[in-house]
């Protein structure tokens, strides 16, 4: 019955099959060895990556306080709900789930969808911030199982002085995707984590940021916590103490009213910047969350440039406040202070006349009267005699044309022109590159190429007042700086200081408005009124238009620099009102009040109500007229002249007229 | 029955006790794995599985006492009944709407496709028992044999249950191969299948297509359907050479590994016992298969040879596909690892299979000794 041939054939095939099985078995064993031995390390890491969840504990941002320890930037607890698009499964379902717990209105939903569509997927999207405690706990209970939704408790930055320190301190905001790509620091995509975006917040970000802590936990695939594996506490950021005096800063900001202006107050001996105000400004509390697009547009369009830190980034011709530089340069060049110059109201160079601000002239003017009178002619003569390079050298010694080592993200360097500068600037065209005498005349009264920022003017004044190479500083540390001497003889400085005292206090000075109301404290200063437009010959003939009659943008800048007390200088100050018409009339009183505040705050505060009421009325007037203009603009927009109503008559379906009536409802 | 008449002690002594021991070792290790998979508990799996194994083992030993000739006689009726049952499942499914794989017999749920894996081998062995040498590859012989395979495969495909259908097909083809059908026919068939692959692709259900696609690139969807393969590979790879230790698996105990007690039991085992545990399972099964091949080669009739080796090939198919799946070498098909995975019907199939082969072994020892 059993055929041996068949059996042999079966055996061959059986062995073949067995060999196939053995081969498969070795393949499996080899594959397993490959997974477990050669790739074992990778898979072990992956298994741990599954099992161990690293949670960041974001550090609290350091506070910023003023010189007396009053808070300038602090943290407030904030509850928010965030979406992490990378973990989310279905946006619509997620939103429905969220709606079951908190309200999201249509605008918010649109914003969320927009953010999710435009941002990279690893960036968290805020659903709503500023949740109340009951809302937050409801989210915690009912939304933790929805993937990609995270209730977050964090600290939000709060600036108690809102816009008064905005430009100096800056604000915080979410890191940009580029920053995360560059750093790969997981903290940067931690929901609600903020970094400094401007001002000191940005420059000192590393110090303020602190170091993140970490918590490791073992979790199941469904995200349930099995056990904590250990935590490393976070390291809060440092508290940053500034040299700013918060109260003085606030006072100065209020005193400016609705001007577009900058005020800087410095300590002449230590270089401490006590106040650095740039107004108008934005509210950093708004900027630290989300800025409404309309507000952003309004801030950008405002001709008072609320987004610009005028104190450090604004550039203005120094005008007559530069005359101290020319005076010192002349003294250094050996000019006799008693030498008299005849001012007839104009100075002739070639075919052109350089005018003095006094049309009839000052008569005979020597150095002691030149500053109080601010006689342009005197400085034309002296400037021409000593040359622009001597003036420029002195300007640089006094701190103009340079950036200081300050924790600000940007400073405008300004220009201190001399022959080398012009050569460099216009080198390609030899005709333009040569320095011309007329330019020296302009430079000697602080016009022409020369341009400075308000901070440089304050430093210049501090250096004049102290005779030392004062460097400004914003961050208070224990060490008292010891500045070297400027190397300018005291006799020279004394002449300049006396001139500045006379500007304010002498009968013939240009700034009687800056006289100190405080007994025994004399203010010394210098006015400046910097032209921003060319005055044509035709206009000169018919009489220069009064500044007040001009549109705001064409008015002169008003400047005033001062130090106090005149006898033993302690504080230096610079005030710039953009298009403020006249330094003596408008900038000087502001400097007077701000400096008064340092000695008698009550007296200084007493002037505020009137100024603020005035500013408020002007602000309302401005907004009503702007609103009216906007409406007018809207009304002027017309439809085209060929407009024609184009509506076709409606067409009705007519049923077959012969059709019998179908059965109807009884009427 | 010869069982009642025959001398008990001698008949029991002829059973292959060595293999019974091997099978007990594998199933015992399976219970350890299930105990760990439940987080160190006999419940809900290990105890029940153990009881079930004991019952099935006794059942298998009882089957082994049946003479193979009896199966030769019963082959056609068994095949016929199962084919009708498969049709019945199809009809009940069509009536109820939706797919169904089992019949409710009142006392138990009966999955005819499971049994068909064995029956196909049985019926083809019966078929080729009486085909004389040299006639195996003739069309008039081959075509009925192919029809015997095609009928259940087609019905199971309709359920749809790709894994079982492939298993039935594999069992049938292996018997044809062992029976001596010419090799060029297999070559031609392989070529034909390769050519028809695009058509088959269109006939697959979406979820089946998805499984294949994800098998080809599991990283493409690590959180979705590729999750199974990815996590299984992590479990096996992270076990290393000697494993994380009993009850120390993280992938399994923290629920990262899906189906940890059924289809992916091998990964659960490998995570805790490492490469050594895996090799042990492969070697134990290798010994069982080797015994099966030896039994087949030593059998005295073509029917017994084809039956025992065809069944062993079916067991091999289970093992190979499951292990390839957990190691990321095959797409995810719902095939459990015999004796280790939790589940009654698969265990029953395998124990019946072993019982039949043990019967062949017993019969031949009887004949020889």
């Amino acid at each position: 019955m059993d055929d041996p041939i068949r059996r042999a054939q079966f055996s061959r095939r059986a062995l073949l099959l067995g060999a196939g099985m053995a081969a498969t078995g070795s393949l499996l064993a080899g594959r397993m060895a490959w997974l477990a031995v050669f790739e074992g390390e990778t898979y072990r890491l992956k298994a741990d990556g599954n099992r161990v969840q690293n949670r960041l504990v974001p550090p609290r941002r350091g506070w910023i306080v003023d010189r007396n320890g009053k808070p300038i930037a602090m943290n407030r607890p904030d509850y928010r709900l965030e979406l992490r698009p990378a973990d989310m499964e279905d946006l619509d379902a997620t939103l429905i789930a969220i709606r079951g717990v908190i309200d999201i209105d249509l605008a918010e939903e649109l914003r969320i969808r927009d953010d999710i569509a435009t941002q990279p997927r690893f960036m968290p999207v805020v659903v709503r911030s500023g949740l109340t405690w009951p809302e937050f706990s409801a989210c915690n209970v009912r939304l933790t199982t929805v993937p990609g939704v995270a209730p977050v408790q964090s600290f939000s930055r709060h600036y108690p002085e809102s816009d008064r320190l905005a430009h100096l301190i800056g604000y915080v905001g979410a890191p940009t995707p580029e920053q995360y790509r560059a750093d790969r620091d997981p903290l940067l995509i931690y929901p609600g984590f903020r970094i400094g975006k401007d001002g000191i917040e940005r420059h000192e970000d590393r110090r303020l940021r602190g170091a993140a802590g970490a918590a490791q936990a073992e979790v199941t695939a469904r995200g349930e916590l099995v056990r904590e594996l250990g935590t490393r506490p976070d390291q809060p950021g440092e508290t940053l103490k500034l040299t700013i005096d918060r109260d003085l800063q606030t006072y100065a900001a209020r005193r400016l009213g609705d001007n577009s202006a900058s005020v800087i107050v410095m300590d002449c001996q230590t270089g401490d910047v006590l106040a650095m105000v740039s107004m108008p400004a934005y509210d950093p509390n708004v900027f630290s969350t989300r800025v409404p697009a309309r507000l952003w547009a309004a801030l950008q369009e405002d001709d008072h440039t609320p987004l610009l830190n005028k104190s450090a980034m604004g550039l203005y011709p120094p005008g007559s406040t530069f005359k101290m530089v020319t005076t010192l340069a002349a003294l250094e060049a050996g000019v006799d202070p008693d030498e008299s110059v005849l001012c007839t109201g104009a100075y002739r160079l070639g075919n052109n006349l350089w005018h003095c601000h006094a049309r009839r002239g000052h008569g005979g003017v020597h150095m002691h009267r030149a500053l109080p009178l601010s006689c342009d002619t005197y400085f034309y003569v002296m400037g021409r005699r000593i040359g622009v390079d001597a003036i420029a050298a002195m300007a640089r010694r006094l701190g103009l044309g340079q950036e200081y080592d300050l924790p600000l993200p940007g400073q405008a360097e300004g220009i201190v022109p001399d022959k080398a500068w012009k050569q460099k600037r216009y080198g390609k065209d030899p005709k333009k590159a040569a320095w011309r005498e007329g330019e020296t005349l302009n430079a000697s009264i602080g016009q022409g190429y020369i341009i400075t920022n308000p901070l440089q003017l304050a430093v210049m004044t501090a250096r004049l007042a102290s005779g030392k190479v004062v460097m400004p500083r914003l961050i208070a540390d224990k060490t008292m700086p010891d500045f070297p001497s400027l190397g300018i003889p005291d006799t020279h400085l004394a002449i300049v200081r006396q001139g500045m005292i006379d500007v304010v206090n002498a009968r013939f000075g240009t700034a009687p408005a800056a006289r100190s109301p405080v007994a025994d404290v004399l203010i010394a200063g210098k006015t400046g009124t910097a032209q921003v437009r060319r005055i044509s010959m035709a206009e000169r003939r018919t009489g220069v238009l009064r500044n007040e009659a001009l549109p705001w943008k064409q008015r002169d800048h008003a400047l005033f620099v001062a130090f106090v007390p005149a006898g033993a200088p302690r504080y230096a100050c610079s005030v710039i009102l953009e298009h403020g018409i006249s330094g003596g009339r408008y900038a000087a009183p502001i400097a007077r009040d701000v400096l008064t505040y340092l000695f008698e705050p009550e007296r200084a505060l007493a002037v505020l109500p009137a100024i603020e009421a005035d500013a408020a009325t002007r602000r309302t007037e401005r907004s009503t007229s702007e609103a009216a203009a906007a409406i007018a603009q809207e009304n002027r927009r017309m439809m085209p002249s060929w407009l024609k109503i184009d509506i076709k008559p409606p067409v009705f379906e007519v049923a077959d007229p012969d059709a019998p009536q179908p059965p109807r409802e009884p009427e | 029955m010869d069982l009642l008449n025959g001398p008990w002690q001698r008949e029991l002594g002829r059973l292959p006790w060595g293999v019974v021991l091997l099978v007990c070792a594998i199933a015992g290790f399976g219970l350890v794995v299930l105990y760990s998979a439940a987080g160190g508990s006999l419940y809900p799996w290990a105890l029940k599985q153990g009881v079930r194994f004991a019952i099935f083992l006794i059942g298998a030993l009882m089957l082994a006492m049946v003479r193979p000739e009896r199966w030769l006689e019963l082959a056609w009726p068994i095949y016929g009944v199962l084919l009708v049952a498969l049709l019945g499942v199809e009809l009940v499914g069509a009536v109820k709407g939706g797919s169904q794989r089992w019949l409710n017999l009142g006392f138990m749920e009966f999955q005819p496709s499971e049994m068909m894996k064995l029956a196909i081998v049985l019926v083809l062995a019966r078929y080729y028992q009486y085909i004389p040498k040299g006639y195996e590859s003739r069309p008039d012989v081959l075509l009925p044999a192919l029809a015997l395979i095609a009928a259940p495969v087609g019905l199971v495909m309709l359920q749809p249950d790709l894994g079982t259908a492939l298993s039935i097909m594999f069992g049938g083809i292996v018997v044809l191969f062992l029976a001596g059908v010419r090799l060029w026919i297999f070559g031609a068939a392989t070529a034909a299948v390769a050519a028809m692959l695009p058509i088959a692709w269109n006939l697959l259900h979406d979820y089946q297509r998805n499984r294949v696609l994800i098998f080809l690139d599991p990283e493409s969807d690590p959180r979705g359907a590729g999750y199974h393969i990815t996590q299984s590979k992590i479990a096996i790879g992270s076990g290393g050479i000697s494993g994380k230790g009993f009850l120390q698996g993280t992938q399994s105990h923290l629920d990262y590994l899906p189906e940890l007690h059924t289809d992916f039991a091998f990964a659960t085992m490998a995570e805790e016992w490492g490469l050594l545990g895996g090799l042990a399972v492969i070697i134990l099964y290798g010994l069982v298969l080797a015994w099966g091949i030896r039994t087949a080669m030593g059998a005295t009739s073509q029917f017994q040879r084809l039956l025992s080796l065809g069944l062993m090939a079916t067991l091999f198919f289970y093992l190979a596909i499951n292990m390839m799946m957990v190691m990321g070498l095959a797409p995810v098909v719902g095939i459990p690892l015999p004796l280790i995975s939790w589940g009654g019907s698969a265990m029953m199939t395998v124990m019946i299979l072993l019982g039949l082969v043990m019967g062949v072994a017993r019969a031949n020892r009887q004949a020889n000794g």
Side-chain angles (χ1 to χ4, degrees), chain B residues 317-349:
Chain B
F317 186 78
Y318 264 105
L319 297 170
I321 294 296
N322 178 272
M323 289 193 195
M324 283 163 96
M325 171 183 84
V326 297
M327 294 183 201
L329 293 175
V332 175
V333 283
I335 289 186
L337 185 63
L339 300 180
I340 292 183
S341 289
W342 160 260
S345 63
M347 181 178 257
M348 184 166 83
T349 313

Side-chain angles (χ1 to χ4, degrees), chain A residues 119-182:
Chain A
Q119 290 181 4
R121 284 175 63 73
F122 56 76
M123 297 290 285
V125 173
V126 178
V127 177
R128 230 176 80 188
S129 59
L131 295 175
T132 62
W133 173 248
E135 283 174 326
F136 182 68
S137 36
C139 291
N140 260 323
V141 172
R142 292 163 61 188
L143 289 178
T144 36
T145 49
V146 183
V149 179
V152 179
Q153 182 197 354
S154 64
F155 288 92
S156 68
R157 204 67 163 159
H158 177 60
Y159 303 92
E161 288 296 327
S162 68
D163 61 340
R164 286 160 191 159
L165 279 140
H167 291 131
L168 182 59
I169 304 300
Y171 58 95
V172 294
T176 60
E178 289 71 33
Q179 275 169 319
Y180 173 67
R181 287 199 189 98

Side-chain angles (χ1 to χ4, degrees), chain A residues 2-16, chain B residues 133 177-180 296-297 299 302 305:
Chain A
D2 196 12
D3 175 4
I5 300 174
R6 211 150 73 150
R7 184 171 182 158
Q9 189 195 27
F10 175 85
S11 293
R12 275 202 308 278
R13 295 254 165 137
L15 287 174
L16 214 59
Chain B
K133 170 83 186 106
F177 171 78
L178 292 172
M297 283 166 68
Q302 182 76 347
R305 286 194 290 263

Side-chain angles (χ1 to χ4, degrees), chain A residues 501-565:
Chain A
I501 293 172
D502 289 343
V503 167
V504 178
N505 299 292
R507 197 176 32 79
F508 51 86
T510 51
R515 261 172 224 172
S516 166
V518 185
D520 307 331
V521 176
L522 280 188
I523 294 176
K526 180 71 193 85
T527 55
T529 303
Q531 265 164 235
V532 291
R533 67 192 177 108
R534 284 189 84 87
I535 296 173
S536 64
M537 286 305 286
E539 202 182 327
R540 277 191 202 283
R541 245 176 273 123
T542 55
V544 178
L545 268 174
R546 278 176 56 80
N547 256 302
E548 279 85 344
L550 291 170
W552 185 77
K553 267 281 176 194
Q554 294 181 18
R555 295 176 190 169
D556 296 341
H557 293 316
L559 295 90
F560 194 72
V561 297
F563 62 86
V564 73

Side-chain angles (χ1 to χ4, degrees), chain A residues 595-613:
Chain A
L595 292 174
T596 302
Y597 185 85
L598 286 164
F599 296 93
E600 289 183 6
E602 300 78 21
R603 192 196 290 270
L605 284 168
V607 306
L608 276 185
I611 289 162
E612 288 190 327

Side-chain angles (χ1 to χ4, degrees), chain A residues 1-53 86-89 147 217-227, chain B residues 128-133 136 174 176-183 186 219 223 227 230-231 233-234 236-241 244 250-251 254-256 266 269-271 274-275 277-279 282 289 293 296-302 305-306 309 312-313 316 319-320 323-324 326-329:
Chain A
M1 176 181 141
D2 196 12
D3 175 4
I5 300 174
R6 211 150 73 150
R7 184 171 182 158
Q9 189 195 27
F10 175 85
S11 293
R12 275 202 308 278
R13 295 254 165 137
L15 287 174
L16 214 59
L17 185 68
M21 288 180 184
T24 313
S26 341
L27 171 76
L28 286 171
R31 168 72 173 176
M32 195 172 166
W34 171 260
L35 287 179
V37 180
F38 296 100
E39 293 196 326
E41 197 51 46
T42 321
Y43 285 116
R44 247 190 300 286
L45 288 177
K46 281 188 176 178
D48 281 346
N50 271 344
R51 178 176 73 94
V52 179
Q53 192 186 53
D87 300 335
M88 196 176 56
E89 277 165 5
E218 194 173 73
V219 292
T220 69
R222 288 179 299 275
E224 293 154 351
L225 187 78
V226 179
R227 60 193 160 124
Chain B
Y128 272 106
Q129 161 78 357
Y130 298 111
I131 303 290
K133 170 83 186 106
E136 295 92 348
V174 164
L176 295 189
F177 171 78
L178 292 172
V181 173
R182 300 237 162 132
L183 286 177
F186 292 101
E219 312 298 329
R223 282 191 180 272
Y227 183 80
T230 309
Q231 294 300 335
K233 276 159 71 181
I234 291 177
I236 296 172
S238 66
I241 293 177
K244 294 177 183 167
T250 57
Q251 286 287 100
L254 298 178
D255 302 331
Y256 290 98
F266 186 82
M269 185 280 302
E271 190 185 13
L275 179 61
L279 291 180
I282 292 174
L289 292 172
I293 294 172
M297 283 166 68
T300 48
S301 74
Q302 182 76 347
R305 286 194 290 263
L306 291 178
L309 197 45
M312 275 297 144
F316 167 78
L319 297 170
M323 289 193 195
M324 283 163 96
V326 297
M327 294 183 201
L329 293 175

Side-chain angles (χ1 to χ4, degrees), chain B residues 177-318:
Chain B
F177 171 78
L178 292 172
V181 173
R182 300 237 162 132
L183 286 177
W184 68 264
I185 295 182
F186 292 101
T190 311
V193 168
M196 296 212 337
L197 224 52
I199 300 168
W201 181 251
N202 284 327
L203 291 175
L204 286 180
H205 281 250
D206 271 346
Y207 80 95
Q208 290 167 331
R209 262 188 237 176
N210 232 1
R211 281 179 180 179
V212 176
L213 284 178
I214 285 158
F215 156 66
L216 294 175
D217 183 16
E219 312 298 329
S220 67
D221 187 14
R223 282 191 180 272
Y227 183 80
H228 288 57
I229 291 179
T230 309
Q231 294 300 335
S232 169
K233 276 159 71 181
I234 291 177
I236 296 172
S238 66
I241 293 177
S242 56
K244 294 177 183 167
F246 184 48
L247 298 181
Q248 301 299 311
T250 57
Q251 286 287 100
S252 49
H253 290 147
L254 298 178
D255 302 331
Y256 290 98
L257 187 63
E259 307 284 340
L260 75 167
H261 59 293
T262 56
D263 293 357
F264 287 88
F266 186 82
T268 308
M269 185 280 302
E271 190 185 13
E272 296 188 355
W273 300 93
L275 179 61
L276 297 179
L279 291 180
V281 169
I282 292 174
I283 288 169
L284 285 175
Y285 269 118
L287 290 174
V288 172
L289 292 172
W291 162 79
I293 294 172
R294 232 185 42 205
T295 301
M297 283 166 68
T300 48
S301 74
Q302 182 76 347
F303 170 71
Q304 288 178 16
R305 286 194 290 263
L306 291 178
L307 176 67
S308 49
L309 197 45
L311 291 179
M312 275 297 144
T314 302
L315 175 65
F316 167 78
F317 186 78
Y318 264 105

Side-chain angles (χ1 to χ4, degrees), chain A residues 174-190:
Chain A
T176 60
E178 289 71 33
Q179 275 169 319
Y180 173 67
R181 287 199 189 98
D183 268 17
R184 286 286 157 192
D185 182 352
L187 200 51
L188 293 184
I189 49 166
Y190 189 86

